[in-house]
Amino acid sequence: MRIEITAKGIYGVNGEIPVGTELTVKEEPKGWGGRYRVISGGAGGKSAVTNPAGGDAPKTAVEVLAMATDGTHFQTFAAEARKLLGDKTPSSKDEIVKALEELATKPE
């Protein structure tokens, strides 16, 4: 993480560190609060989302069909289709779309 010293009162082995000095540190120096700013590499209040709500809910055939035309990467589209079609998932995009269309229009 990169920080910049923004106020006086930070000391190193060679005396006071001048305001404006940029340093690379492993973690945020909380004891220096108010006398530095994070330039890069900080968490910035962000938290990792490992499993968003509804993330495990399978997509419908219609939702997966929409992925075929919305710019979604083919591998992602194929993986979602595989969840619905199982081992019968075709290898080409056109064939997958056809199979999903059949699934989407099939009465339940």
Side-chain angles (χ1 to χ4, degrees):
M1 156 185 316
R2 296 279 300 165
I3 63 169
E4 177 185 16
I5 304 302
T6 59
K8 293 184 176 191
I10 305 291
Y11 292 87
V13 290
N14 296 326
E16 187 171 19
I17 299 172
V19 172
T21 301
E22 293 183 10
L23 304 169
T24 300
V25 294
K26 288 184 180 182
E27 58 187 45
E28 208 170 326
K30 301 289 185 186
W32 295 356
R35 294 178 281 173
Y36 71 94
R37 71 180 179 98
V38 176
I39 297 172
S40 66
K46 298 178 183 175
S47 59
V49 177
T50 55
N51 188 13
D56 291 337
K59 294 187 181 330
T60 66
V62 173
E63 291 171 325
V64 178
L65 276 169
M67 294 172 71
T69 58
D70 71 0
T72 299
H73 190 279
F74 174 74
Q75 295 298 330
T76 304
F77 163 70
E80 290 296 326
R82 202 170 298 112
K83 290 177 186 177
L84 295 171
L85 302 171
D87 294 336
K88 299 176 186 173
T89 305
S91 58
S92 78
K93 183 176 181 178
D94 290 337
E95 292 172 337
I96 293 172
V97 167
K98 186 180 257 184
L100 288 170
E101 286 173 343
E102 288 176 17
L103 184 62
T105 57
K106 184 188 294 185
E108 292 187 35

